[in-house]
Amino acid sequence: MLDALTVAVGVTALALAAWCGFAAFKDQPTKDWHFIGMAVVTVLAFAQLVVGIVRLAQGEEASEGTAIFLSYLIGSALAVPAAGFLSLAERTRWGSATVAAGAVVLAVLEVRLHDIWGG
């Protein structure tokens, strides 16, 4: 895995979590700007998905197993989009809180991915 990409995904996910958490604190639902932030984080997570699959296809192996690595990789790519869809259903402050929670989950998954790969 690329350490720089893992750090970039984790940092942008935490920034999104802080931004949406602040919106929830201010009693605001998710807005268009939040969805742009979610798109940026999602693009980075999908780039990491592609890099991970390419690395596996080149013959590299995760230290804790390929199956667990792929499950974490796919889960991390889908964490923020799933939270974004849930926030569309809940157009209150809790939608923003859901996105903040999903972004924190993504940041934690990034740490675990780094460990699984052999960090």
Side-chain angles (χ1 to χ4, degrees):
M1 291 295 293
L2 297 174
D3 289 338
L5 185 57
T6 302
V7 169
V9 174
V11 168
T12 55
L14 289 175
L16 179 65
W19 187 23
C20 290
F22 183 70
F25 176 74
K26 300 279 284 184
D27 201 20
Q28 298 173 349
T30 49
K31 303 213 168 139
D32 290 342
W33 291 106
H34 295 118
F35 286 100
I36 292 170
M38 285 183 256
V40 169
V41 172
T42 301
V43 165
L44 288 172
F46 273 100
Q48 186 179 38
L49 175 70
V50 170
V51 167
I53 291 172
V54 167
R55 288 274 176 103
L56 289 173
Q58 291 175 342
E60 295 183 45
E61 291 185 17
S63 65
E64 294 187 27
T66 302
I68 189 111
F69 176 73
L70 280 175
S71 62
Y72 271 88
L73 195 61
I74 292 167
S76 67
L78 298 177
V80 170
F85 281 120
L86 287 173
S87 76
L88 285 173
E90 183 62 46
R91 300 301 293 170
T92 64
R93 70 185 297 176
W94 297 109
S96 295
T98 301
V99 173
V104 169
V105 166
L106 175 58
V108 171
L109 287 173
E110 290 301 310
V111 172
R112 184 68 181 123
L113 269 173
H114 182 66
D115 291 342
I116 291 170
W117 185 255

